[in-house]
Short mmCIF file of all heavy atoms in Angstrom, two decimals:
data_model
loop_
_atom_site.label_atom_id
_atom_site.label_comp_id
_atom_site.label_asym_id
_atom_site.label_seq_id
_atom_site.Cartn_x
_atom_site.Cartn_y
_atom_site.Cartn_z
N ARG A 4 181.50 63.03 189.04
CA ARG A 4 181.74 62.60 190.42
C ARG A 4 181.75 61.09 190.50
O ARG A 4 181.06 60.41 189.76
CB ARG A 4 180.57 63.07 191.30
CG ARG A 4 180.64 64.49 191.74
CD ARG A 4 179.40 64.78 192.56
NE ARG A 4 178.18 64.63 191.76
CZ ARG A 4 177.54 65.67 191.25
NH1 ARG A 4 177.99 66.88 191.46
NH2 ARG A 4 176.45 65.50 190.55
N SER A 5 182.54 60.58 191.45
CA SER A 5 182.49 59.13 191.62
C SER A 5 181.46 58.76 192.69
O SER A 5 180.79 57.75 192.60
CB SER A 5 183.87 58.60 192.01
OG SER A 5 184.28 59.21 193.21
N THR A 6 181.33 59.62 193.68
CA THR A 6 180.23 59.40 194.63
C THR A 6 179.28 60.57 194.49
O THR A 6 179.68 61.68 194.22
CB THR A 6 180.70 59.36 196.11
OG1 THR A 6 182.02 59.83 196.17
CG2 THR A 6 180.56 57.99 196.69
N ARG A 7 178.03 60.29 194.74
CA ARG A 7 177.02 61.30 194.51
C ARG A 7 176.81 62.18 195.73
O ARG A 7 177.13 61.80 196.84
CB ARG A 7 175.72 60.62 194.12
CG ARG A 7 175.22 59.66 195.17
CD ARG A 7 174.04 58.87 194.65
NE ARG A 7 173.07 59.74 194.03
CZ ARG A 7 172.22 60.48 194.71
NH1 ARG A 7 172.22 60.46 196.02
NH2 ARG A 7 171.35 61.23 194.08
N MET A 8 176.26 63.36 195.49
CA MET A 8 175.84 64.21 196.60
C MET A 8 174.66 63.52 197.26
O MET A 8 173.77 63.01 196.58
CB MET A 8 175.35 65.56 196.07
CG MET A 8 176.35 66.30 195.21
SD MET A 8 177.40 67.34 196.20
CE MET A 8 176.19 68.51 196.80
N ALA A 9 174.63 63.53 198.58
CA ALA A 9 173.57 62.80 199.27
C ALA A 9 172.18 63.37 198.99
O ALA A 9 171.23 62.64 198.80
CB ALA A 9 173.83 62.79 200.77
N PRO A 324 166.87 61.80 200.51
CA PRO A 324 167.91 60.95 199.91
C PRO A 324 167.30 60.10 198.79
O PRO A 324 166.13 59.71 198.86
CB PRO A 324 168.38 60.06 201.06
CG PRO A 324 167.96 60.77 202.29
CD PRO A 324 166.72 61.53 201.95
N PHE A 325 168.10 59.80 197.80
CA PHE A 325 167.64 59.06 196.63
C PHE A 325 167.20 57.63 196.96
O PHE A 325 167.89 56.91 197.68
CB PHE A 325 168.76 59.03 195.59
CG PHE A 325 168.54 58.06 194.47
CD1 PHE A 325 167.54 58.29 193.53
CD2 PHE A 325 169.32 56.92 194.36
CE1 PHE A 325 167.32 57.38 192.49
CE2 PHE A 325 169.10 56.00 193.33
CZ PHE A 325 168.10 56.24 192.40
N SER A 326 166.05 57.23 196.44
CA SER A 326 165.65 55.82 196.49
C SER A 326 164.82 55.50 195.25
O SER A 326 164.06 56.34 194.77
CB SER A 326 164.84 55.50 197.75
OG SER A 326 163.58 56.12 197.71
N ALA A 327 165.01 54.32 194.70
CA ALA A 327 164.29 53.91 193.49
C ALA A 327 164.14 52.39 193.48
O ALA A 327 164.86 51.68 194.19
CB ALA A 327 165.05 54.36 192.25
N THR A 342 167.74 49.42 182.51
CA THR A 342 167.06 49.09 183.76
C THR A 342 166.01 50.16 184.03
O THR A 342 166.34 51.32 184.25
CB THR A 342 168.08 49.04 184.92
OG1 THR A 342 169.20 48.25 184.50
CG2 THR A 342 167.46 48.44 186.16
N CYS A 344 163.40 52.10 186.14
CA CYS A 344 163.24 52.35 187.57
C CYS A 344 162.16 53.37 187.84
O CYS A 344 161.95 54.29 187.06
CB CYS A 344 164.54 52.90 188.16
SG CYS A 344 165.88 51.74 188.15
N VAL A 346 161.65 56.24 190.45
CA VAL A 346 162.33 56.99 191.51
C VAL A 346 161.28 57.40 192.53
O VAL A 346 160.26 57.98 192.16
CB VAL A 346 163.03 58.25 190.93
CG1 VAL A 346 163.76 59.01 192.04
CG2 VAL A 346 164.01 57.87 189.83
N SER A 348 162.21 58.88 195.79
CA SER A 348 162.64 60.09 196.50
C SER A 348 163.99 60.53 195.99
O SER A 348 164.77 59.73 195.46
CB SER A 348 162.71 59.81 198.00
OG SER A 348 163.63 58.77 198.25
N GLY A 349 164.27 61.83 196.15
CA GLY A 349 165.58 62.37 195.80
C GLY A 349 165.81 62.48 194.30
O GLY A 349 164.88 62.37 193.50
N VAL A 350 167.08 62.71 193.94
CA VAL A 350 167.45 62.83 192.52
C VAL A 350 168.65 61.94 192.23
O VAL A 350 169.44 61.63 193.12
CB VAL A 350 167.81 64.30 192.15
CG1 VAL A 350 166.64 65.24 192.36
CG2 VAL A 350 169.03 64.79 192.91
N ILE A 351 168.80 61.53 190.97
CA ILE A 351 170.06 60.94 190.51
C ILE A 351 170.49 61.64 189.25
O ILE A 351 169.66 62.12 188.47
CB ILE A 351 170.03 59.42 190.16
CG1 ILE A 351 168.71 59.03 189.53
CG2 ILE A 351 170.50 58.58 191.29
CD1 ILE A 351 168.80 57.67 188.85
N ARG A 352 171.79 61.67 189.08
CA ARG A 352 172.34 62.31 187.89
C ARG A 352 173.17 61.29 187.14
O ARG A 352 173.68 60.34 187.72
CB ARG A 352 173.23 63.48 188.29
CG ARG A 352 172.61 64.41 189.30
CD ARG A 352 173.63 64.78 190.36
NE ARG A 352 173.02 65.48 191.48
CZ ARG A 352 173.03 65.00 192.73
NH1 ARG A 352 173.58 63.84 193.02
NH2 ARG A 352 172.48 65.70 193.69
N LYS A 353 173.29 61.57 185.86
CA LYS A 353 174.18 60.78 185.01
C LYS A 353 175.57 60.78 185.66
O LYS A 353 176.03 61.83 186.12
CB LYS A 353 174.23 61.48 183.65
CG LYS A 353 174.73 60.67 182.54
CD LYS A 353 174.52 61.49 181.26
CE LYS A 353 175.84 61.59 180.54
NZ LYS A 353 175.71 62.35 179.30
N GLY A 354 176.21 59.62 185.73
CA GLY A 354 177.55 59.56 186.29
C GLY A 354 177.60 59.26 187.78
O GLY A 354 178.66 58.94 188.31
N ASP A 355 176.47 59.34 188.46
CA ASP A 355 176.44 59.04 189.90
C ASP A 355 176.76 57.58 190.18
O ASP A 355 176.49 56.70 189.35
CB ASP A 355 175.03 59.29 190.46
CG ASP A 355 174.80 60.76 190.81
OD1 ASP A 355 175.77 61.53 190.81
OD2 ASP A 355 173.63 61.11 191.08
N THR A 356 177.30 57.36 191.37
CA THR A 356 177.42 55.99 191.87
C THR A 356 176.35 55.80 192.94
O THR A 356 176.20 56.63 193.82
CB THR A 356 178.81 55.73 192.46
OG1 THR A 356 179.77 55.87 191.41
CG2 THR A 356 178.91 54.33 193.05
N VAL A 357 175.58 54.75 192.81
CA VAL A 357 174.52 54.50 193.78
C VAL A 357 174.69 53.11 194.40
O VAL A 357 175.45 52.28 193.90
CB VAL A 357 173.11 54.60 193.13
CG1 VAL A 357 172.85 56.02 192.63
CG2 VAL A 357 172.95 53.60 192.00
N LEU A 358 173.98 52.90 195.49
CA LEU A 358 174.04 51.61 196.17
C LEU A 358 172.87 50.74 195.74
O LEU A 358 171.74 51.22 195.62
CB LEU A 358 174.00 51.83 197.68
CG LEU A 358 174.05 50.58 198.57
CD1 LEU A 358 175.44 49.93 198.51
CD2 LEU A 358 173.70 50.93 200.02
N ASN A 359 173.15 49.46 195.49
CA ASN A 359 172.09 48.48 195.34
C ASN A 359 172.14 47.65 196.62
O ASN A 359 172.94 46.72 196.73
CB ASN A 359 172.35 47.61 194.10
CG ASN A 359 171.34 46.48 193.97
OD1 ASN A 359 170.75 46.04 194.96
ND2 ASN A 359 171.15 46.00 192.75
N PRO A 360 171.31 48.02 197.62
CA PRO A 360 171.39 47.35 198.92
C PRO A 360 170.88 45.92 198.87
O PRO A 360 171.21 45.09 199.71
CB PRO A 360 170.52 48.23 199.83
CG PRO A 360 169.54 48.86 198.89
CD PRO A 360 170.24 49.03 197.58
N THR A 361 170.05 45.63 197.88
CA THR A 361 169.51 44.28 197.74
C THR A 361 170.65 43.30 197.46
O THR A 361 170.68 42.20 197.99
CB THR A 361 168.47 44.23 196.59
OG1 THR A 361 167.63 45.39 196.65
CG2 THR A 361 167.62 42.99 196.67
N LYS A 362 171.60 43.72 196.62
CA LYS A 362 172.72 42.86 196.26
C LYS A 362 174.01 43.26 196.96
O LYS A 362 175.05 42.62 196.80
CB LYS A 362 172.95 42.92 194.74
CG LYS A 362 171.75 42.44 193.93
CD LYS A 362 172.17 41.44 192.87
CE LYS A 362 171.01 40.61 192.37
NZ LYS A 362 169.94 41.39 191.76
N ASN A 363 173.95 44.34 197.72
CA ASN A 363 175.12 44.90 198.40
C ASN A 363 176.27 45.19 197.45
O ASN A 363 177.41 44.78 197.65
CB ASN A 363 175.57 43.98 199.54
CG ASN A 363 176.56 44.67 200.47
OD1 ASN A 363 176.56 45.91 200.56
ND2 ASN A 363 177.40 43.90 201.14
N ILE A 364 175.93 45.93 196.39
CA ILE A 364 176.96 46.36 195.42
C ILE A 364 176.75 47.84 195.09
O ILE A 364 175.67 48.38 195.34
CB ILE A 364 176.88 45.56 194.09
CG1 ILE A 364 175.42 45.54 193.58
CG2 ILE A 364 177.41 44.14 194.25
CD1 ILE A 364 175.26 45.02 192.17
N LYS A 365 177.79 48.44 194.54
CA LYS A 365 177.63 49.80 194.04
C LYS A 365 177.54 49.73 192.52
O LYS A 365 178.17 48.91 191.89
CB LYS A 365 178.81 50.67 194.46
CG LYS A 365 178.76 51.05 195.93
CD LYS A 365 179.89 51.96 196.31
CE LYS A 365 179.86 52.24 197.80
NZ LYS A 365 181.09 52.93 198.24
N GLU A 366 176.71 50.62 191.97
CA GLU A 366 176.52 50.66 190.52
C GLU A 366 176.68 52.09 190.03
O GLU A 366 176.33 53.04 190.73
CB GLU A 366 175.10 50.18 190.17
CG GLU A 366 174.85 48.69 190.38
CD GLU A 366 174.99 47.88 189.09
OE1 GLU A 366 175.94 48.15 188.32
OE2 GLU A 366 174.14 46.99 188.86
N ARG A 367 177.20 52.22 188.81
CA ARG A 367 177.37 53.55 188.25
C ARG A 367 176.32 53.81 187.17
O ARG A 367 176.06 52.95 186.33
CB ARG A 367 178.78 53.68 187.66
CG ARG A 367 179.10 55.09 187.24
CD ARG A 367 180.60 55.25 186.97
NE ARG A 367 180.86 56.63 186.59
CZ ARG A 367 180.66 57.10 185.37
NH1 ARG A 367 180.22 56.33 184.41
NH2 ARG A 367 180.92 58.38 185.11
N ILE A 368 175.71 54.99 187.24
CA ILE A 368 174.69 55.38 186.27
C ILE A 368 175.37 55.85 184.98
O ILE A 368 176.00 56.91 184.96
CB ILE A 368 173.82 56.56 186.80
CG1 ILE A 368 173.31 56.31 188.23
CG2 ILE A 368 172.68 56.90 185.84
CD1 ILE A 368 172.29 55.23 188.37
N GLY A 369 175.27 55.06 183.91
CA GLY A 369 175.89 55.44 182.65
C GLY A 369 175.11 56.55 181.96
O GLY A 369 175.57 57.67 181.82
N LEU A 371 170.92 58.25 181.55
CA LEU A 371 169.53 58.29 181.98
C LEU A 371 168.67 58.58 180.75
O LEU A 371 168.94 59.53 180.03
CB LEU A 371 169.31 59.38 183.03
CG LEU A 371 169.98 59.18 184.39
CD1 LEU A 371 169.88 60.47 185.20
CD2 LEU A 371 169.32 58.03 185.14
N ALA A 385 167.21 62.52 187.05
CA ALA A 385 165.88 61.95 187.27
C ALA A 385 165.50 62.26 188.71
O ALA A 385 166.35 62.27 189.61
CB ALA A 385 165.89 60.45 187.03
N ILE A 393 167.73 53.40 183.01
CA ILE A 393 169.15 53.63 183.28
C ILE A 393 169.96 52.69 182.40
O ILE A 393 169.71 51.48 182.37
CB ILE A 393 169.48 53.38 184.77
CG1 ILE A 393 168.58 54.23 185.67
CG2 ILE A 393 170.96 53.68 185.06
CD1 ILE A 393 168.76 53.95 187.16
N ALA A 394 170.94 53.24 181.70
CA ALA A 394 171.85 52.40 180.93
C ALA A 394 173.16 52.30 181.71
O ALA A 394 173.59 53.26 182.34
CB ALA A 394 172.09 53.00 179.56
N GLY A 395 173.75 51.13 181.69
CA GLY A 395 175.07 50.97 182.29
C GLY A 395 175.11 50.19 183.59
O GLY A 395 176.18 49.92 184.12
N LEU A 396 173.95 49.80 184.12
CA LEU A 396 173.97 49.01 185.36
C LEU A 396 174.38 47.57 185.02
O LEU A 396 173.95 47.02 184.01
CB LEU A 396 172.61 49.03 186.05
CG LEU A 396 172.07 50.41 186.46
CD1 LEU A 396 170.80 50.23 187.29
CD2 LEU A 396 173.10 51.21 187.25
N LYS A 397 175.20 46.98 185.87
CA LYS A 397 175.74 45.66 185.53
C LYS A 397 174.97 44.52 186.18
O LYS A 397 174.68 43.51 185.54
CB LYS A 397 177.21 45.59 185.94
CG LYS A 397 178.07 46.54 185.10
CD LYS A 397 179.55 46.18 185.18
CE LYS A 397 180.35 46.92 184.13
NZ LYS A 397 180.37 48.38 184.38
N THR A 399 172.16 44.83 188.53
CA THR A 399 170.86 45.09 189.13
C THR A 399 169.77 44.34 188.37
O THR A 399 169.74 44.37 187.14
CB THR A 399 170.57 46.61 189.13
OG1 THR A 399 171.55 47.25 189.94
CG2 THR A 399 169.19 46.94 189.65
N ASP A 403 165.12 44.95 192.54
CA ASP A 403 166.18 45.52 193.39
C ASP A 403 165.91 46.98 193.70
O ASP A 403 165.34 47.71 192.88
CB ASP A 403 167.55 45.44 192.69
CG ASP A 403 168.10 44.03 192.64
OD1 ASP A 403 167.41 43.11 193.15
OD2 ASP A 403 169.20 43.84 192.08
N THR A 404 166.36 47.39 194.87
CA THR A 404 166.33 48.80 195.23
C THR A 404 167.63 49.45 194.79
O THR A 404 168.68 48.80 194.77
CB THR A 404 166.21 48.95 196.76
OG1 THR A 404 165.01 48.33 197.20
CG2 THR A 404 166.21 50.42 197.20
N LEU A 405 167.58 50.71 194.41
CA LEU A 405 168.78 51.52 194.24
C LEU A 405 168.62 52.70 195.19
O LEU A 405 167.52 53.24 195.32
CB LEU A 405 168.91 52.02 192.80
CG LEU A 405 169.17 50.96 191.72
CD1 LEU A 405 169.12 51.60 190.34
CD2 LEU A 405 170.51 50.26 191.94
N CYS A 406 169.71 53.08 195.86
CA CYS A 406 169.57 54.18 196.81
C CYS A 406 170.88 54.93 196.99
O CYS A 406 171.93 54.52 196.47
CB CYS A 406 169.05 53.66 198.16
SG CYS A 406 170.20 52.54 198.97
N ASP A 407 170.79 56.01 197.74
CA ASP A 407 171.97 56.81 198.05
C ASP A 407 172.95 55.97 198.88
O ASP A 407 172.55 55.24 199.79
CB ASP A 407 171.51 58.03 198.85
CG ASP A 407 172.67 58.94 199.16
OD1 ASP A 407 173.31 59.43 198.23
OD2 ASP A 407 172.95 59.11 200.37
N VAL A 408 174.22 56.07 198.54
CA VAL A 408 175.26 55.26 199.19
C VAL A 408 175.27 55.48 200.71
O VAL A 408 175.43 54.53 201.48
CB VAL A 408 176.65 55.61 198.59
CG1 VAL A 408 177.76 54.87 199.32
CG2 VAL A 408 176.69 55.29 197.10
N ASP A 409 175.07 56.73 201.13
CA ASP A 409 175.14 57.03 202.57
C ASP A 409 173.82 56.90 203.30
O ASP A 409 173.75 57.08 204.51
CB ASP A 409 175.66 58.46 202.75
CG ASP A 409 177.05 58.62 202.15
OD1 ASP A 409 177.86 57.67 202.29
OD2 ASP A 409 177.30 59.67 201.52
N ASN A 410 172.76 56.64 202.55
CA ASN A 410 171.43 56.54 203.17
C ASN A 410 170.71 55.29 202.67
O ASN A 410 169.73 55.38 201.92
CB ASN A 410 170.60 57.78 202.83
CG ASN A 410 171.15 59.05 203.43
OD1 ASN A 410 170.89 59.36 204.59
ND2 ASN A 410 171.96 59.75 202.66
N PRO A 411 171.20 54.12 203.06
CA PRO A 411 170.62 52.89 202.49
C PRO A 411 169.18 52.63 202.95
O PRO A 411 168.83 52.93 204.09
CB PRO A 411 171.55 51.79 202.98
CG PRO A 411 172.44 52.39 204.00
CD PRO A 411 172.30 53.86 203.98
#
Side-chain angles (χ1 to χ4, degrees):
R4 279 179 297 259
S5 59
T6 13
R7 59 188 312 282
M8 304 271 294
F325 167 69
S326 69
T342 312
C344 294
V346 181
S348 59
V350 298
I351 36 164
R352 312 137 190 118
K353 198 172 126 180
D355 277 349
T356 296
V357 296
L358 180 70
N359 175 335
T361 317
K362 299 229 161 61
N363 194 25
I364 49 169
K365 286 183 184 170
E366 289 262 43
R367 188 166 181 279
I368 311 290
L371 292 170
I393 305 175
L396 301 187
K397 294 197 168 66
T399 297
D403 287 359
T404 300
L405 293 174
C406 64
D407 182 61
V408 175
D409 300 321
N410 295 276

